[in-house]
Amino acid sequence: MIRWFKNTGPGILVAAAFIGPGTVTLCTLAGVKYGYSLLWAMTLSIIATVILQEMSARIGIITQKGLAQVIKEQIKSPILKKLTIMLILLAIVIGNAAYEAGNISGASLGISAIFGSHLYYLYPIIIGVIAFGLLYIGNYKILERSLVFLVIIMSVSFLLTAIITKPNISLMLKGMFIPSFPNGSTLTIIGLIGTTVVPYNLFLHASLVKEKWKNKNDLKYSRRDTFFAIVFGGFVSMSIIIAASAINGVDIKNGIDLAKGLEPLYGNFAKYFLGIGLFAAGITSAITAPLAAAYVAKSCFGWNVGLKNIKFRIVWFFILVLGVVFSSFKINPIEIIKFAQVANGILLPVIALFLLWIVNKTTVLGTYKNGVFQNIISGIIILVTIILGFKSILKVFELL
């Protein structure tokens, strides 16, 4: 058991990254509007995320390089290489700067549910200081353990919230495994998949696994860690949908509204569980988003530096400060978010295709390259990411 816990970490950090305030809000709306009907979309998301993240982690362990660096090395055309690196940098670094405000605002909402909103203006600064402290320490083990602790708190909070609503098990299982498409649910389905299959997590995972594991024999630990952490993270997202399904006749827009909606039926416990859960979801994403951006910059520019290097710190500090400023002054960086959505919509299928290409190269992975079955499953998942990316771009243009 001790050895099992010793060999967990990067997968949990990936789960922490995709369960942010945006995921909490989307899962809440999915549950309120469609009940258990869209749980299957989360099942599909979990499968897709496990497959893509496993490929990314395998590349990180075998090559001991960041994903952007491996992609850069494998593209021979100078023009295509520059275009790809530019797309990665724009989508991840600028995108994470835009979404960081949402992460910090979500964590602040969580605190306000517990302690009240009279000091709301201070909450983003408090979140920023906590995130800064953990990132500045520059010790991977401390960062990993802190995030694992926060993920456990978040998971327990949301799972307990789902349990107190006493869900219908047979309807829940039907929703998880039998696809249905209620009227008007298409964008919500796309959103549920898109909020779980996240481009920046592919880069984050490849970088984190090489911090933890240096030996090819450790691949089995990485696979187990990836599988259990992401499946568990998926169940946490499902628990939010399940809890929200218990709400009737209440206008719900976010996780805190869900707490208010559950309070008359289930008492103050609902408010506290959801407040703690939203705080943990926000702060874990507020830490992993700047960290991912710094790893991507390091990999794209070929910096051979550690977590304490000034260049690495400047990147995550820039993302963090923007997030605190946007959330403190309630500035809605809508144009940046639209740009980030378009860039991510292009990036996800592009990176998924690069992943599939690289994991089939003997020169990169040797005997650890993909088998036929892995390629068939990966191909189906990539088709889903292409449709997802195309739809997310169309959605942005519809809003213009």
Side-chain angles (χ1 to χ4, degrees):
M1 182 62 78
I2 293 169
R3 176 182 266 191
W4 188 85
F5 275 109
K6 238 177 109 179
N7 287 294
T8 58
I12 291 284
L13 269 62
V14 168
F18 74 69
I19 309 171
T23 304
V24 174
T25 300
L26 197 58
C27 289
T28 298
L29 295 174
V32 169
K33 288 183 181 178
Y34 307 108
Y36 301 142
S37 302
L38 301 186
L39 285 171
W40 67 268
M42 283 309 308
T43 304
L44 178 63
S45 303
I46 293 164
I47 295 166
T49 306
V50 167
I51 288 166
L52 291 172
Q53 296 294 158
E54 187 281 328
M55 290 196 293
S56 175
R58 199 182 341 148
I59 290 168
I61 290 174
I62 302 302
T63 65
Q64 286 294 299
K65 293 172 184 175
L67 182 56
Q69 187 182 345
V70 175
I71 291 170
K72 195 166 65 172
E73 288 172 359
Q74 294 306 309
I75 299 173
K76 303 306 175 190
S77 164
I79 295 170
L80 187 57
K81 185 182 290 191
K82 284 178 184 174
L83 284 172
T84 305
I85 293 303
M86 193 181 297
L87 175 63
I88 292 168
L89 276 170
L90 288 173
I92 305 298
V93 177
I94 294 177
N96 282 10
Y99 296 135
E100 183 69 353
N103 295 330
I104 292 171
S105 297
S108 301
L109 272 177
I111 298 177
S112 65
I114 303 162
F115 298 108
S117 56
H118 55 287
L119 291 174
Y120 186 89
Y121 65 95
L122 283 177
Y123 297 155
I125 298 166
I126 293 167
I127 304 298
V129 169
I130 294 169
F132 175 86
L134 286 170
L135 287 164
Y136 189 81
I137 289 167
N139 184 306
Y140 173 74
K141 283 187 178 177
I142 291 173
L143 192 62
E144 179 187 271
R145 285 168 188 166
S146 303
L147 285 168
V148 167
F149 174 71
L150 286 165
V151 168
I152 290 168
I153 291 174
M154 171 178 69
S155 306
V156 169
S157 298
F158 289 133
L159 289 168
L160 283 173
T161 305
I163 290 165
I164 64 170
T165 63
K166 296 177 182 175
N168 184 313
I169 302 299
S170 61
L171 285 178
M172 191 176 76
L173 291 171
K174 182 184 174 185
M176 285 172 67
F177 299 108
I178 300 174
S180 63
F181 299 85
N183 286 337
S185 65
T186 306
L187 282 180
T188 306
I189 292 166
I190 291 164
L192 288 173
I193 299 169
T195 198
T196 310
V197 188
V198 185
Y200 85 72
N201 273 347
L202 298 170
F203 295 91
L204 181 64
H205 207 175
S207 297
L208 291 176
V209 291
K210 69 186 184 68
E211 295 277 353
K212 189 171 185 77
W213 294 300
K214 307 293 181 186
N215 196 310
K216 292 176 182 179
N217 295 330
D218 291 330
L219 202 56
K220 61 181 180 288
Y221 298 124
S222 171
R223 282 174 171 154
R224 191 168 59 195
D225 172 55
T226 300
F227 177 80
F228 283 109
I230 290 167
V231 169
F232 184 67
F235 280 132
V236 172
S237 294
M238 285 183 183
S239 71
I240 300 166
I241 298 174
I242 292 162
S245 301
I247 300 294
N248 288 308
V250 180
D251 185 27
I252 305 291
K253 293 178 182 174
N254 56 46
I256 294 305
D257 288 343
L258 173 57
K260 290 173 187 170
L262 289 172
E263 204 172 340
L265 292 171
Y266 306 106
N268 280 333
F269 286 118
K271 180 177 75 173
Y272 293 127
F273 287 156
L274 278 160
I276 292 166
L278 190 57
F279 163 73
I283 198 165
T284 51
S285 294
I287 294 166
T288 53
L291 185 66
Y295 272 125
V296 166
K298 172 185 170 179
S299 197
C300 285
F301 294 119
W303 299 336
N304 187 21
V305 298
L307 296 176
K308 294 182 180 180
N309 183 269
I310 186 66
K311 289 186 282 191
F312 191 89
R313 282 175 168 169
I314 284 170
V315 178
W316 63 250
F317 182 72
F318 170 74
I319 306 292
L320 188 58
V321 166
L322 277 184
V324 171
V325 169
F326 283 143
S327 55
S328 295
F329 294 99
K330 296 185 178 177
I331 301 167
N332 186 5
I334 189 70
E335 295 305 321
I336 302 174
I337 288 171
K338 282 180 183 176
F339 168 80
Q341 284 176 327
V342 171
N344 277 326
I346 299 167
L347 185 67
L348 181 57
V350 167
I351 295 305
L353 285 166
F354 271 129
L355 267 179
L356 188 58
W357 175 51
I358 290 165
V359 292
N360 278 284
K361 287 179 79 75
T362 310
T363 51
V364 179
L365 294 181
T367 56
Y368 297 95
K369 69 176 187 176
N370 263 17
V372 176
F373 179 72
Q374 285 173 307
N375 280 332
I376 292 168
I377 300 296
S378 303
I380 295 167
I381 297 302
I382 286 167
L383 185 62
V384 171
T385 66
I386 291 168
I387 295 166
L388 187 66
F390 183 67
K391 289 277 190 182
S392 67
I393 293 166
L394 281 181
K395 183 184 169 186
V396 172
F397 284 113
E398 283 169 14
L399 295 172
L400 293 175

